[in-house]
Amino acid sequence: MVMAVAFTRYGRLYYLDPGEHTPRVGDKVLVPTDDGPEVAECVWAPQWVSEDIGGLPVCEGLATEKHLQREERNRRRRAEIRVAARRLIKHHELPMKIVGVDYVDTREDVDQLVTIYFSAPHRVDFRELVRDLARTLRARIDLRQLGARDEARVQGGIGPCGRDTCCSTFLTDFEPVSVRMAKDQDLPLNPLKISGACGRLMCCLKYEHPLYQDFKRSVPTVGCDVTTDDGVQGTVVAYNVPAETVYVRDRETGRRVACPKASVCGSRQAYEGAVAAGARRTPDIEDDAYEDDGENL
């Protein structure tokens, strides 16, 4: 049995072993963390999965009124910490931007622990700021600088597709993305068109890339002469990979016809013969210098 929870609305999903509990969607449950049980919302009710998944943390049950009150107090406390931190950053004239705040009040070794995530264009000397924060908040302070991708993950946002950013919802880590992936997906090689909210290459270029590779291996290449099931004779001019559609230019009328992939994929021998007859691919662009390792573009 597996269930999924989220700490924030539309936030990243975390998978748990429900144990003896059977929460429903929308119920508040307790999730074990390094700093004690935290309140999260059940997004997927417990369900059987075909694979044997082990090592998942076990749900500690439904949140009580006491846990909900504590969560509300912590939420208000985080808002107060954010305001105080911004005021002191402005006072010290530091080039920092607060990205997120974590507040823990259940640790046995400390009374309070405040973790402040920030972004900055370069390394910042915040020793004076830490002392002022500790004195003002009367807590242990931990300042952590985030990169562009981690900043987008913490803050969340809307991607060019109109949906919540992948990094703030389901992606667990960042993998290298290159411009070659955008070229393989027939996207314009314009940084403004293929960059996400963080300013780096969009993460979806990476995990969608195999779909485009598999599609293009199974259809005639652009420029190849084909005959569709409807008897249309023409030349392949473009693809629509998500819709599994091939666009063919009718040789007689000049019209561009959208055809299902299966209607233009003949036998392997016919396809290889067409390729040998003169089907040409667009020459590769030397783009190795534009690889994105997750931090630089």
Side-chain angles (χ1 to χ4, degrees):
M1 295 285 284
V2 175
M3 62 179 291
V5 300
F7 289 96
T8 58
R9 187 172 181 81
Y10 305 122
R12 179 178 299 178
L13 297 182
Y14 295 87
Y15 298 94
L16 303 176
D17 181 347
E20 301 176 353
H21 310 285
T22 56
R24 294 175 296 180
V25 174
D27 287 346
K28 300 293 185 179
V29 299
L30 297 177
V31 180
T33 68
D34 294 338
D35 301 306
E38 295 290 337
V39 178
E41 181 178 347
C42 178
V43 179
W44 292 353
Q47 54 186 290
W48 290 100
V49 293
S50 57
E51 300 179 0
D52 184 14
I53 302 177
L56 294 177
V58 180
C59 176
E60 297 189 7
L62 296 177
T64 63
E65 186 63 27
K66 179 181 177 180
H67 294 112
L68 296 178
Q69 291 176 359
R70 170 181 169 270
E71 180 66 18
E72 179 61 23
R73 287 196 306 269
N74 288 346
R75 187 189 65 80
R76 291 197 300 265
R77 181 62 172 158
R78 286 192 291 268
E80 295 170 357
I81 292 171
R82 185 185 290 266
V83 172
R86 286 176 175 172
R87 177 175 56 81
L88 290 174
I89 287 173
K90 184 177 181 180
H91 173 73
H92 287 277
E93 298 181 350
L94 295 174
M96 300 167 57
K97 184 178 73 172
I98 300 298
V99 176
V101 174
D102 278 344
Y103 171 67
V104 177
D105 63 352
T106 59
R107 289 274 297 270
E108 296 180 358
D109 55 337
V110 294
D111 292 332
Q112 292 182 356
L113 174 63
V114 174
T115 304
I116 299 176
Y117 302 95
F118 71 94
S119 62
H122 49 75
R123 294 185 65 86
V124 179
D125 184 1
F126 48 70
R127 288 173 292 183
E128 290 293 335
L129 174 64
V130 170
R131 283 193 283 268
D132 288 348
L133 283 171
R135 184 166 48 250
T136 302
L137 302 175
R138 296 181 180 179
R140 180 185 173 190
I141 306 299
D142 184 12
L143 284 176
R144 299 184 184 181
Q145 185 170 353
L146 301 180
R149 288 187 183 272
D150 287 314
E151 179 185 357
R153 170 188 290 184
V154 173
Q155 285 189 318
I158 304 298
C161 59
R163 299 177 63 88
D164 293 276
T165 52
C166 302
C167 59
S168 62
T169 51
F170 64 89
L171 286 184
T172 57
D173 53 13
F174 298 117
E175 297 184 14
V177 186
S178 69
V179 175
R180 182 178 298 277
M181 296 177 184
K183 181 169 65 70
D184 290 344
Q185 297 174 38
D186 299 324
L187 295 175
L189 302 184
N190 182 344
L192 297 178
K193 298 290 187 181
I194 58 178
S195 298
C198 60
R200 304 290 193 261
L201 290 175
M202 294 186 293
C203 297
C204 58
L205 295 178
K206 173 65 176 182
Y207 63 79
E208 291 181 355
H209 189 234
L211 174 67
Y212 285 80
Q213 289 181 311
D214 294 341
F215 181 90
K216 291 186 176 181
R217 276 197 294 263
S218 62
V219 298
T221 57
V222 173
C224 181
D225 294 335
V226 297
T227 301
T228 69
D229 291 344
D230 297 331
V232 176
Q233 295 183 348
T235 304
V236 176
V237 293
Y239 307 123
N240 185 341
V241 177
E244 294 193 344
T245 301
V246 177
Y247 292 98
V248 177
R249 180 79 65 185
D250 193 330
R251 191 175 303 161
E252 294 183 359
T253 63
R255 293 189 307 110
R256 188 166 122 161
V257 181
C259 308
K261 180 181 77 170
S263 69
V264 296
C265 294
S267 65
R268 184 67 185 176
Q269 292 78 10
Y271 169 62
E272 291 177 350
V275 172
R280 296 180 293 108
R281 290 185 179 272
T282 303
D284 287 342
I285 299 176
E286 293 294 335
D287 55 14
D288 292 339
Y290 297 94
E291 288 190 357
D292 187 354
D293 62 358
E295 288 297 331
N296 299 302
L297 172 59

